[in-house]
Structures are given as structure tokens and as C-alpha cells.
Amino acid sequence: MTLSEAMQPNGSGLQQKITHILPITNRPELCFIRGEGNYLYDQAGKRYLDFIQGWAVNTLGHCPPAIQQALIEQSSTLINSGPAFYNAPMLDLASNLCQHSVFDQVFFANSGAEANEGAIKLARKWGQINKQGASKIITFKQGFHGRTLATMSATGKDSFTQLYEPKVPGFTKVSFNDLEATRAAIDKRTVAIMLELIQGEAGVIPATQNFVSGLRELCDQNKLLLIVDEVQTGIGRTGPLFCYEHYGIEPDIMTLGKGLGGGFPISALLTHRKYSCFEPGDQGGTFNGNPLACSVANAVFTEVSSQSFQSKSIENADYLKSRLALLCKKYSLPGIRGQGMLLALSTGENDAPALVQRGLEDGLLLNAPRQDTLRFMPALNIEKSDIDEAMTILNKLLAEVA
Ligand code: PLP
């Protein structure tokens, strides 16, 4: 069966081909063929307004000119020089990230989980050298750090608890936003505290200012590393380039993924030189820092790091928030959470996954991280007219269930 058969509107080829994919998630029986800006198009030519954008990944929307150009130029210059050599886009991206953050060294990887694995390893190595082998890391209930065995072990999702036992030991899970419980969990074997500043997969739950400032103090007092997982919140997703800027703190280690490549796989671990204890051979990976991925990330970063891009994105995110607030009021819903273009609407008694399904039918892609929560993670450059279109559809869906 050919790909074009799979794209027939009747979907018969599609159904056959689907059987060859391991069913690791429940996907709707459709196949996306094309993307442009805020829209995706399926095999039948149906158009969808995309408020998921690759799971908070497509920073500049689908197939943006900046990424197309970077791919064309870099793929005709150098695709892969190998991990044992420097290449120009890798060096430029590392410099860009360091110039715009509080960090001064970067390790590139290919997924958020891999960057987090790197952060866990760096903290453990640092503990070996500086804290008599301390290796325990405090993480938080409902937090999410990825799907490798170590990052699943660090993750606080209940549904992961029984999976793939035995897990990697050394992670102590504490209630999020509970400073006293965190303090109580620290012992002499503890080396780091790792958190998402806004728990994305848990339903967009922000850390409080008091909690984050308190964690910074706890880390300073107890000689612990503060690791922020900004895989979802980084690269302008919450307004400023990095979410830690909202809190006025300096983390010791930060991880990035998702939005960094704007749809192309690349992630990064950033740290300060004083914690940089990997020696040659300790850490690596075949595709790490490859020129193609780094040149795409540079193109994305050049756009997102401009003041005018950030101001416009914040303005439009505020607009989205205000439109959601109107719906909240109209349908007496519990509230809105989040920052920038990472927002959640509490749907109360209304079944959020059912709203997602109805949205799909009506050409609006939404996500429900919880039974009572819709999450909005559109492109950072979405315009008000697209936000209006989405809110019109959402209003209709909410009216149906009200
Ligand atoms: N960390 C956070 C906060 C995430 O939201 C995710 C993915 O959703 C990950 C890590 C894992 O990233 P990846 O799926 O690229 O491995």
C-alpha cells in the first residue's frame, strides 16, 4: 500500500497502516499531511486550528519560513560532522543560550528526557565529588520529567508508580508547593532539588513565589543543586525567555527541549562552570549538538529572543487569557491557570476530554491534561484573529455541555 492510498479520504489505507504502529497512545484515526502557521490539514483536507502545536513545541507555528530557510541552508552546507567535533551552529547556539541566561555552559541532547537524564547525572557526579557521594534528588508529586527509566523514576505521576519496576532509586517525592515537606525530606544523602516551575503535564500548576524562593534558600543552606526543568516552560512559552525569570532566582541547572527546536528534535542542559564536572567520556550521544538541529534552534532563538517578538507574544497571551476569562465567567467555570502561552482552563464538572473530542470534530485541536482541565499551548506568534476563532468554537462547545 502506498502513502497516497493511506491519504485517501475514505481512510481505508490509513486503517491498514495504523496497525503497524505500536499503540503507545490513543490517536484519532486521521493522518496529518500538511501544516501552515496555526493550522494543520488531514488526509481528507480538513483544516484544524492548532492549540496544541506539537505539545508546546512549535514555537513559531507549523513550517515557519525561518525554520525552512535554516534547514535548506544548513542541509546544503553540513548535516552531520559527528559528536566528536565542534561545528559552527552548535557553538553559536551555546553562545546564544548563555548570553541570554544566567548559565555559561551547555550540553545538547535530542529530547527533554535525555536533557533531564543529563541533569540527574551531572548532579550525581557533583555529589560524588563535593558531597561524599550524596545522590538523592528531591522531585515533586504530579511533576513530569520524561519517559526514560531514570526520568520516569523522577516523575511524580501516579500512573507511572507501578510501571517498569524496579525503578532507578534515589528520588524522594514531595508535595508540590510544600516548602516544609521539602525541608523535612532533605538529609545528608540529598544532592539536588528538581522541579518544573509550572507543572505542565499535571494541568498547568504554577509553583508559588514563596515556594521557589524558599527552595533557593534551602539549596543554598544545604549545599544542594537547584535544577529547573524548563523543557515545557522555556524559550518564551511563559512570556520571558525562561520561566525562572518570573521568580527572580538563579537556578544551578536548567533543561530545555520542546520549543528550543520549534518542531525539530533538540534539547539542552545548561549549567554554571562551577558545577560543570563532566569529564570526557562521562556523557555524550551520537546526535548531540548536530549542525542541522542547532541551526534550526538558532533560527528559532533569533526570533524568540527579540524584544519585539516577546512583547507581541505577551500581549497576545494576555488577550487569550482575557478571552478565556470571559468564557469562565459566562459558564461559571472555576478559573484559569498559567502564564504566557501556557494556559489552562478549569472546566469544573464538564468533561475536558469530551470537549477535546468535540473540538477535534469542529476543527479545533485542544488538550486535556486532566479530566477537569483544558490546556492551551498555541504558537507563540499566534494572532488575535486566530485566538478569536478558537474562542468562538470553544464557546460553542461549552454551550453544548452547559
Ligand atoms: N520535562 C517536561 C517538563 C515535559 O513537559 C516533558 C514532556 O512533556 C519532558 C520533560 C520530556 O520531554 P521529551 O518528551 O522531549 O522527552
Side-chain angles (χ1 to χ4, degrees), residues 117-177:
E117 282 267 345
I120 292 163
K121 288 182 191 171
L122 186 67
R124 284 188 169 192
K125 174 106 200 256
W126 185 82
Q128 222 164 39
I129 299 167
N130 297 290
K131 276 201 89 181
Q132 288 103 36
S135 61
K136 277 164 59 177
I137 299 180
I138 294 175
T139 60
F140 294 93
K141 291 180 184 164
Q142 315 309 329
F144 185 80
H145 300 294
R147 290 177 177 277
T148 60
L149 204 50
T151 55
M152 281 183 91
S153 307
T155 288
K157 252 172 98 110
D158 293 338
S159 60
F160 280 9
T161 309
Q162 296 306 323
L163 274 173
Y164 314 128
E165 290 291 289
K167 294 274 189 341
V168 175
F171 295 98
T172 310
K173 313 271 168 46
V174 171
S175 294
F176 195 53
N177 280 328

Short mmCIF file of all heavy atoms in Angstrom, two decimals, residues 117-177:
data_model
loop_
_atom_site.label_atom_id
_atom_site.label_comp_id
_atom_site.label_asym_id
_atom_site.label_seq_id
_atom_site.Cartn_x
_atom_site.Cartn_y
_atom_site.Cartn_z
N GLU A 117 17.98 13.47 31.98
CA GLU A 117 18.93 12.41 32.38
C GLU A 117 20.30 13.02 32.61
O GLU A 117 20.99 12.68 33.58
CB GLU A 117 19.06 11.35 31.27
CG GLU A 117 17.94 10.37 31.18
CD GLU A 117 18.20 9.10 31.98
OE1 GLU A 117 19.34 8.83 32.38
OE2 GLU A 117 17.22 8.38 32.21
N GLY A 118 20.68 13.91 31.71
CA GLY A 118 21.98 14.58 31.83
C GLY A 118 22.05 15.39 33.11
O GLY A 118 23.09 15.40 33.80
N ALA A 119 20.96 16.07 33.44
CA ALA A 119 20.93 16.89 34.66
C ALA A 119 21.07 16.00 35.90
O ALA A 119 21.79 16.34 36.85
CB ALA A 119 19.62 17.69 34.72
N ILE A 120 20.38 14.86 35.88
CA ILE A 120 20.46 13.92 37.02
C ILE A 120 21.89 13.40 37.16
O ILE A 120 22.45 13.36 38.26
CB ILE A 120 19.45 12.76 36.81
CG1 ILE A 120 18.01 13.28 36.89
CG2 ILE A 120 19.69 11.63 37.80
CD1 ILE A 120 16.95 12.35 36.31
N LYS A 121 22.48 13.06 36.02
CA LYS A 121 23.87 12.54 36.06
C LYS A 121 24.84 13.61 36.55
O LYS A 121 25.73 13.33 37.36
CB LYS A 121 24.30 12.10 34.66
CG LYS A 121 23.67 10.83 34.17
CD LYS A 121 24.27 10.55 32.79
CE LYS A 121 23.54 9.46 32.05
NZ LYS A 121 24.00 9.38 30.65
N LEU A 122 24.65 14.84 36.07
CA LEU A 122 25.57 15.93 36.46
C LEU A 122 25.47 16.15 37.98
O LEU A 122 26.49 16.27 38.66
CB LEU A 122 25.23 17.22 35.71
CG LEU A 122 26.20 18.38 35.92
CD1 LEU A 122 27.58 18.07 35.33
CD2 LEU A 122 25.67 19.67 35.30
N ALA A 123 24.23 16.16 38.49
CA ALA A 123 24.05 16.37 39.93
C ALA A 123 24.69 15.23 40.72
O ALA A 123 25.36 15.46 41.74
CB ALA A 123 22.56 16.47 40.25
N ARG A 124 24.52 13.99 40.24
CA ARG A 124 25.10 12.86 40.97
C ARG A 124 26.62 12.90 40.94
O ARG A 124 27.28 12.59 41.94
CB ARG A 124 24.58 11.54 40.38
CG ARG A 124 23.15 11.24 40.81
CD ARG A 124 22.75 9.85 40.38
NE ARG A 124 21.50 9.46 41.01
CZ ARG A 124 21.02 8.22 40.99
NH1 ARG A 124 21.68 7.26 40.37
NH2 ARG A 124 19.88 7.93 41.59
N LYS A 125 27.17 13.27 39.80
CA LYS A 125 28.64 13.34 39.70
C LYS A 125 29.14 14.45 40.63
O LYS A 125 30.14 14.27 41.33
CB LYS A 125 29.03 13.62 38.24
CG LYS A 125 30.50 13.86 38.02
CD LYS A 125 31.22 12.70 37.34
CE LYS A 125 32.73 12.73 37.56
NZ LYS A 125 33.48 13.19 36.42
N TRP A 126 28.42 15.56 40.65
CA TRP A 126 28.81 16.67 41.51
C TRP A 126 28.76 16.23 42.98
O TRP A 126 29.64 16.55 43.79
CB TRP A 126 27.88 17.86 41.26
CG TRP A 126 28.27 19.10 42.00
CD1 TRP A 126 29.21 20.02 41.65
CD2 TRP A 126 27.71 19.53 43.25
NE1 TRP A 126 29.27 21.00 42.60
CE2 TRP A 126 28.36 20.73 43.59
CE3 TRP A 126 26.73 19.03 44.10
CZ2 TRP A 126 28.06 21.44 44.75
CZ3 TRP A 126 26.43 19.74 45.26
CH2 TRP A 126 27.09 20.92 45.58
N GLY A 127 27.73 15.47 43.32
CA GLY A 127 27.60 14.95 44.68
C GLY A 127 28.72 13.99 45.04
O GLY A 127 29.20 13.98 46.19
N GLN A 128 29.14 13.22 44.06
CA GLN A 128 30.24 12.28 44.29
C GLN A 128 31.53 13.03 44.66
O GLN A 128 32.23 12.66 45.59
CB GLN A 128 30.49 11.53 42.99
CG GLN A 128 30.74 10.04 43.13
CD GLN A 128 30.57 9.38 41.78
OE1 GLN A 128 30.97 9.92 40.75
NE2 GLN A 128 29.97 8.20 41.78
N ILE A 129 31.73 14.14 43.95
CA ILE A 129 32.98 14.90 44.15
C ILE A 129 32.88 15.81 45.37
O ILE A 129 33.82 15.92 46.15
CB ILE A 129 33.29 15.75 42.89
CG1 ILE A 129 33.49 14.86 41.67
CG2 ILE A 129 34.52 16.64 43.11
CD1 ILE A 129 33.49 15.63 40.35
N ASN A 130 31.70 16.44 45.53
CA ASN A 130 31.61 17.54 46.51
C ASN A 130 30.81 17.24 47.77
O ASN A 130 30.83 18.03 48.70
CB ASN A 130 30.97 18.77 45.83
CG ASN A 130 31.81 19.28 44.70
OD1 ASN A 130 32.88 19.82 44.91
ND2 ASN A 130 31.35 19.06 43.48
N LYS A 131 30.05 16.11 47.79
CA LYS A 131 29.20 15.87 48.97
C LYS A 131 29.27 14.41 49.41
O LYS A 131 28.23 13.79 49.67
CB LYS A 131 27.74 16.23 48.64
CG LYS A 131 27.40 17.70 48.79
CD LYS A 131 25.90 17.93 48.95
CE LYS A 131 25.44 17.88 50.39
NZ LYS A 131 24.00 18.07 50.56
N GLN A 132 30.43 13.87 49.46
CA GLN A 132 30.66 12.49 49.92
C GLN A 132 29.70 11.48 49.26
O GLN A 132 29.11 10.64 49.94
CB GLN A 132 30.52 12.37 51.44
CG GLN A 132 31.65 12.99 52.24
CD GLN A 132 31.24 14.31 52.83
OE1 GLN A 132 30.09 14.49 53.23
NE2 GLN A 132 32.15 15.25 52.85
N GLY A 133 29.50 11.63 47.97
CA GLY A 133 28.69 10.64 47.25
C GLY A 133 27.19 10.84 47.39
O GLY A 133 26.41 9.95 47.02
N ALA A 134 26.75 11.98 47.91
CA ALA A 134 25.30 12.23 48.01
C ALA A 134 24.69 12.13 46.61
O ALA A 134 25.24 12.66 45.65
CB ALA A 134 25.04 13.61 48.60
N SER A 135 23.55 11.43 46.50
CA SER A 135 23.00 11.18 45.16
C SER A 135 21.48 11.34 45.10
O SER A 135 20.89 11.25 44.03
CB SER A 135 23.35 9.76 44.71
OG SER A 135 22.79 8.83 45.62
N LYS A 136 20.84 11.57 46.25
CA LYS A 136 19.36 11.63 46.24
C LYS A 136 18.86 12.98 45.69
O LYS A 136 19.43 14.04 46.00
CB LYS A 136 18.81 11.42 47.66
CG LYS A 136 18.70 9.94 48.01
CD LYS A 136 18.53 9.67 49.48
CE LYS A 136 17.33 10.31 50.11
NZ LYS A 136 17.22 9.93 51.55
N ILE A 137 17.81 12.89 44.91
CA ILE A 137 17.24 14.11 44.34
C ILE A 137 15.78 14.20 44.78
O ILE A 137 15.02 13.22 44.65
CB ILE A 137 17.36 14.09 42.79
CG1 ILE A 137 18.85 14.03 42.40
CG2 ILE A 137 16.67 15.31 42.17
CD1 ILE A 137 19.13 14.01 40.91
N ILE A 138 15.41 15.35 45.30
CA ILE A 138 14.00 15.57 45.68
C ILE A 138 13.26 16.06 44.44
O ILE A 138 13.68 17.01 43.78
CB ILE A 138 13.90 16.61 46.82
CG1 ILE A 138 14.56 16.04 48.09
CG2 ILE A 138 12.43 16.99 47.08
CD1 ILE A 138 14.63 17.02 49.25
N THR A 139 12.18 15.36 44.10
CA THR A 139 11.31 15.80 43.00
C THR A 139 9.88 15.91 43.56
O THR A 139 9.67 15.66 44.74
CB THR A 139 11.35 14.82 41.80
OG1 THR A 139 10.92 13.53 42.25
CG2 THR A 139 12.75 14.72 41.20
N PHE A 140 8.91 16.27 42.70
CA PHE A 140 7.60 16.62 43.24
C PHE A 140 6.46 15.79 42.67
O PHE A 140 6.49 15.39 41.50
CB PHE A 140 7.36 18.12 43.04
CG PHE A 140 8.34 18.90 43.87
CD1 PHE A 140 9.55 19.33 43.33
CD2 PHE A 140 8.11 19.10 45.22
CE1 PHE A 140 10.49 19.96 44.11
CE2 PHE A 140 9.05 19.74 46.02
CZ PHE A 140 10.24 20.18 45.46
N LYS A 141 5.49 15.53 43.56
CA LYS A 141 4.31 14.76 43.17
C LYS A 141 3.63 15.45 42.00
O LYS A 141 3.53 16.68 41.99
CB LYS A 141 3.35 14.61 44.35
CG LYS A 141 3.93 13.71 45.43
CD LYS A 141 3.00 13.54 46.62
CE LYS A 141 3.71 12.70 47.68
NZ LYS A 141 3.09 12.78 48.99
N GLN A 142 3.18 14.67 41.07
CA GLN A 142 2.50 15.12 39.83
C GLN A 142 3.46 15.77 38.82
O GLN A 142 3.06 16.11 37.72
CB GLN A 142 1.32 16.10 40.08
CG GLN A 142 0.37 15.72 41.21
CD GLN A 142 -0.14 14.29 41.09
OE1 GLN A 142 -0.29 13.76 40.01
NE2 GLN A 142 -0.37 13.65 42.23
N GLY A 143 4.73 15.97 39.21
CA GLY A 143 5.69 16.55 38.25
C GLY A 143 5.98 15.56 37.13
O GLY A 143 5.77 14.36 37.28
N PHE A 144 6.48 16.07 36.02
CA PHE A 144 6.80 15.20 34.87
C PHE A 144 8.17 15.56 34.33
O PHE A 144 8.45 16.73 34.05
CB PHE A 144 5.74 15.38 33.76
CG PHE A 144 5.95 14.42 32.61
CD1 PHE A 144 5.52 13.11 32.70
CD2 PHE A 144 6.60 14.83 31.46
CE1 PHE A 144 5.73 12.21 31.66
CE2 PHE A 144 6.82 13.94 30.40
CZ PHE A 144 6.38 12.62 30.50
N HIS A 145 9.01 14.53 34.15
CA HIS A 145 10.37 14.79 33.66
C HIS A 145 10.77 13.92 32.48
O HIS A 145 11.91 14.00 32.04
CB HIS A 145 11.37 14.66 34.81
CG HIS A 145 11.11 15.61 35.94
ND1 HIS A 145 11.24 16.97 35.79
CD2 HIS A 145 10.67 15.40 37.21
CE1 HIS A 145 10.92 17.57 36.94
NE2 HIS A 145 10.57 16.64 37.81
N GLY A 146 9.87 13.07 31.99
CA GLY A 146 10.21 12.30 30.79
C GLY A 146 9.93 10.82 30.94
O GLY A 146 9.39 10.37 31.95
N ARG A 147 10.35 10.06 29.92
CA ARG A 147 9.98 8.65 29.84
C ARG A 147 11.16 7.69 29.72
O ARG A 147 10.98 6.53 29.34
CB ARG A 147 9.02 8.44 28.66
CG ARG A 147 7.65 9.04 28.90
CD ARG A 147 6.75 8.90 27.71
NE ARG A 147 5.43 9.42 27.98
CZ ARG A 147 4.46 8.77 28.61
NH1 ARG A 147 4.67 7.54 29.02
NH2 ARG A 147 3.29 9.32 28.81
N THR A 148 12.38 8.16 29.96
CA THR A 148 13.46 7.19 30.14
C THR A 148 13.27 6.62 31.54
O THR A 148 12.50 7.16 32.33
CB THR A 148 14.83 7.87 30.05
OG1 THR A 148 14.90 8.86 31.09
CG2 THR A 148 15.04 8.54 28.70
N LEU A 149 14.00 5.53 31.85
CA LEU A 149 13.75 4.91 33.15
C LEU A 149 14.07 5.86 34.32
O LEU A 149 13.31 5.94 35.29
CB LEU A 149 14.55 3.60 33.26
CG LEU A 149 13.99 2.59 34.25
CD1 LEU A 149 12.51 2.34 34.06
CD2 LEU A 149 14.76 1.29 34.15
N ALA A 150 15.17 6.59 34.21
CA ALA A 150 15.53 7.50 35.32
C ALA A 150 14.55 8.66 35.41
O ALA A 150 14.15 9.06 36.50
CB ALA A 150 16.95 8.03 35.16
N THR A 151 14.14 9.21 34.25
CA THR A 151 13.24 10.37 34.33
C THR A 151 11.82 9.93 34.72
O THR A 151 11.09 10.70 35.35
CB THR A 151 13.23 11.18 33.02
OG1 THR A 151 12.92 10.33 31.93
CG2 THR A 151 14.57 11.86 32.78
N MET A 152 11.44 8.69 34.37
CA MET A 152 10.16 8.18 34.89
C MET A 152 10.25 8.00 36.40
O MET A 152 9.27 8.20 37.13
CB MET A 152 9.80 6.84 34.25
CG MET A 152 9.21 6.96 32.87
SD MET A 152 8.72 5.38 32.20
CE MET A 152 7.02 5.28 32.73
N SER A 153 11.42 7.62 36.87
CA SER A 153 11.61 7.43 38.32
C SER A 153 11.57 8.78 39.04
O SER A 153 11.12 8.87 40.18
CB SER A 153 12.96 6.75 38.58
OG SER A 153 13.06 5.57 37.82
N ALA A 154 12.00 9.83 38.35
CA ALA A 154 11.96 11.18 38.93
C ALA A 154 10.56 11.77 38.87
O ALA A 154 10.21 12.66 39.63
CB ALA A 154 12.92 12.09 38.17
N THR A 155 9.75 11.27 37.92
CA THR A 155 8.41 11.80 37.68
C THR A 155 7.46 11.43 38.82
O THR A 155 7.55 10.34 39.37
CB THR A 155 7.92 11.26 36.32
OG1 THR A 155 8.65 11.92 35.30
CG2 THR A 155 6.43 11.48 36.10
N GLY A 156 6.54 12.35 39.14
CA GLY A 156 5.61 12.11 40.25
C GLY A 156 4.21 11.73 39.81
O GLY A 156 3.26 11.93 40.57
N LYS A 157 4.07 11.21 38.58
CA LYS A 157 2.75 10.81 38.08
C LYS A 157 2.33 9.49 38.72
O LYS A 157 3.08 8.51 38.63
CB LYS A 157 2.86 10.56 36.57
CG LYS A 157 2.23 11.59 35.67
CD LYS A 157 2.62 11.27 34.23
CE LYS A 157 1.52 10.51 33.54
NZ LYS A 157 0.85 11.27 32.52
N ASP A 158 1.12 9.44 39.27
CA ASP A 158 0.67 8.20 39.93
C ASP A 158 0.69 7.01 38.97
O ASP A 158 1.04 5.90 39.35
CB ASP A 158 -0.76 8.39 40.47
CG ASP A 158 -0.78 9.40 41.60
OD1 ASP A 158 0.29 9.61 42.22
OD2 ASP A 158 -1.85 9.99 41.85
N SER A 159 0.31 7.27 37.70
CA SER A 159 0.20 6.15 36.76
C SER A 159 1.56 5.53 36.42
O SER A 159 1.63 4.45 35.86
CB SER A 159 -0.49 6.61 35.47
OG SER A 159 0.26 7.65 34.88
N PHE A 160 2.65 6.19 36.76
CA PHE A 160 3.98 5.62 36.50
C PHE A 160 4.46 4.71 37.64
O PHE A 160 5.42 3.97 37.48
CB PHE A 160 5.03 6.74 36.34
CG PHE A 160 5.05 7.41 34.98
CD1 PHE A 160 4.06 7.16 34.03
CD2 PHE A 160 6.07 8.29 34.64
CE1 PHE A 160 4.08 7.79 32.79
CE2 PHE A 160 6.10 8.92 33.39
CZ PHE A 160 5.10 8.67 32.46
N THR A 161 3.79 4.82 38.80
CA THR A 161 4.32 4.17 40.00
C THR A 161 4.61 2.69 39.80
O THR A 161 5.67 2.20 40.16
CB THR A 161 3.35 4.38 41.19
OG1 THR A 161 3.05 5.77 41.26
CG2 THR A 161 3.96 3.93 42.50
N GLN A 162 3.66 1.96 39.20
CA GLN A 162 3.82 0.51 39.07
C GLN A 162 4.53 0.09 37.79
O GLN A 162 4.83 -1.09 37.60
CB GLN A 162 2.44 -0.17 39.12
CG GLN A 162 1.70 0.01 40.43
CD GLN A 162 2.54 -0.44 41.62
OE1 GLN A 162 3.28 -1.41 41.55
NE2 GLN A 162 2.45 0.32 42.72
N LEU A 163 4.78 1.03 36.90
CA LEU A 163 5.34 0.67 35.58
C LEU A 163 6.84 0.38 35.64
O LEU A 163 7.58 1.10 36.30
CB LEU A 163 5.11 1.81 34.59
CG LEU A 163 3.78 1.86 33.85
CD1 LEU A 163 3.69 3.16 33.05
CD2 LEU A 163 3.59 0.67 32.94
N TYR A 164 7.25 -0.64 34.92
CA TYR A 164 8.67 -0.92 34.66
C TYR A 164 9.51 -1.03 35.93
O TYR A 164 10.65 -0.55 35.98
CB TYR A 164 9.28 0.16 33.74
CG TYR A 164 8.43 0.49 32.54
CD1 TYR A 164 8.10 1.81 32.24
CD2 TYR A 164 7.93 -0.52 31.71
CE1 TYR A 164 7.31 2.12 31.14
CE2 TYR A 164 7.14 -0.21 30.62
CZ TYR A 164 6.83 1.11 30.34
OH TYR A 164 6.04 1.41 29.26
N GLU A 165 8.94 -1.65 36.94
CA GLU A 165 9.71 -1.84 38.17
C GLU A 165 10.87 -2.80 37.91
O GLU A 165 10.74 -3.69 37.08
CB GLU A 165 8.79 -2.38 39.26
CG GLU A 165 7.76 -1.37 39.77
CD GLU A 165 8.40 -0.25 40.55
OE1 GLU A 165 8.86 -0.51 41.68
OE2 GLU A 165 8.47 0.87 40.02
N PRO A 166 12.00 -2.76 38.56
CA PRO A 166 12.31 -1.74 39.56
C PRO A 166 12.78 -0.45 38.91
O PRO A 166 13.47 -0.45 37.90
CB PRO A 166 13.47 -2.38 40.34
CG PRO A 166 14.15 -3.26 39.34
CD PRO A 166 13.09 -3.74 38.39
N LYS A 167 12.38 0.65 39.52
CA LYS A 167 12.77 1.97 39.03
C LYS A 167 14.22 2.29 39.43
O LYS A 167 14.83 1.58 40.22
CB LYS A 167 11.86 3.04 39.65
CG LYS A 167 10.40 2.95 39.20
CD LYS A 167 10.19 3.70 37.92
CE LYS A 167 8.74 3.84 37.53
NZ LYS A 167 7.77 2.96 38.11
N VAL A 168 14.71 3.40 38.92
CA VAL A 168 16.02 3.91 39.34
C VAL A 168 15.83 4.49 40.76
O VAL A 168 14.95 5.33 40.95
CB VAL A 168 16.51 5.01 38.38
CG1 VAL A 168 17.81 5.63 38.87
CG2 VAL A 168 16.68 4.44 36.97
N PRO A 169 16.61 4.02 41.74
CA PRO A 169 16.41 4.54 43.11
C PRO A 169 16.98 5.95 43.26
O PRO A 169 17.71 6.44 42.38
CB PRO A 169 17.20 3.54 43.97
CG PRO A 169 18.22 2.95 43.05
CD PRO A 169 17.67 3.02 41.65
N GLY A 170 16.62 6.59 44.38
CA GLY A 170 17.27 7.87 44.71
C GLY A 170 16.41 9.09 44.46
O GLY A 170 16.94 10.20 44.46
N PHE A 171 15.10 8.92 44.24
CA PHE A 171 14.24 10.08 44.06
C PHE A 171 13.23 10.12 45.21
O PHE A 171 12.52 9.15 45.45
CB PHE A 171 13.51 10.05 42.72
CG PHE A 171 14.46 10.14 41.56
CD1 PHE A 171 14.88 8.99 40.89
CD2 PHE A 171 14.97 11.37 41.17
CE1 PHE A 171 15.78 9.06 39.84
CE2 PHE A 171 15.88 11.45 40.12
CZ PHE A 171 16.29 10.30 39.45
N THR A 172 13.18 11.22 45.93
CA THR A 172 12.22 11.40 47.02
C THR A 172 11.13 12.33 46.52
O THR A 172 11.42 13.47 46.13
CB THR A 172 12.92 12.04 48.24
OG1 THR A 172 14.11 11.32 48.51
CG2 THR A 172 12.02 12.06 49.46
N LYS A 173 9.88 11.88 46.53
CA LYS A 173 8.77 12.70 46.00
C LYS A 173 8.07 13.44 47.14
O LYS A 173 7.68 12.83 48.13
CB LYS A 173 7.73 11.82 45.30
CG LYS A 173 8.28 10.81 44.34
CD LYS A 173 8.42 11.36 42.94
CE LYS A 173 9.24 10.43 42.06
NZ LYS A 173 8.91 9.03 42.12
N VAL A 174 7.91 14.73 46.93
CA VAL A 174 7.33 15.59 47.95
C VAL A 174 6.16 16.35 47.33
O VAL A 174 6.14 16.57 46.12
CB VAL A 174 8.43 16.56 48.47
CG1 VAL A 174 7.87 17.63 49.37
CG2 VAL A 174 9.52 15.79 49.20
N SER A 175 5.19 16.76 48.16
CA SER A 175 4.06 17.53 47.64
C SER A 175 4.55 18.86 47.07
O SER A 175 5.36 19.56 47.71
CB SER A 175 3.03 17.82 48.73
OG SER A 175 2.45 16.61 49.13
N PHE A 176 4.03 19.21 45.89
CA PHE A 176 4.42 20.45 45.21
C PHE A 176 3.95 21.64 46.02
O PHE A 176 2.86 21.61 46.62
CB PHE A 176 3.76 20.43 43.83
CG PHE A 176 4.33 21.45 42.86
CD1 PHE A 176 5.68 21.53 42.60
CD2 PHE A 176 3.47 22.29 42.17
CE1 PHE A 176 6.19 22.44 41.68
CE2 PHE A 176 3.96 23.21 41.24
CZ PHE A 176 5.33 23.28 41.01
N ASN A 177 4.75 22.68 46.04
CA ASN A 177 4.43 23.92 46.76
C ASN A 177 4.41 23.75 48.28
O ASN A 177 3.85 24.60 48.98
CB ASN A 177 3.11 24.54 46.28
CG ASN A 177 3.30 25.31 44.97
OD1 ASN A 177 4.37 25.88 44.73
ND2 ASN A 177 2.29 25.33 44.13
#
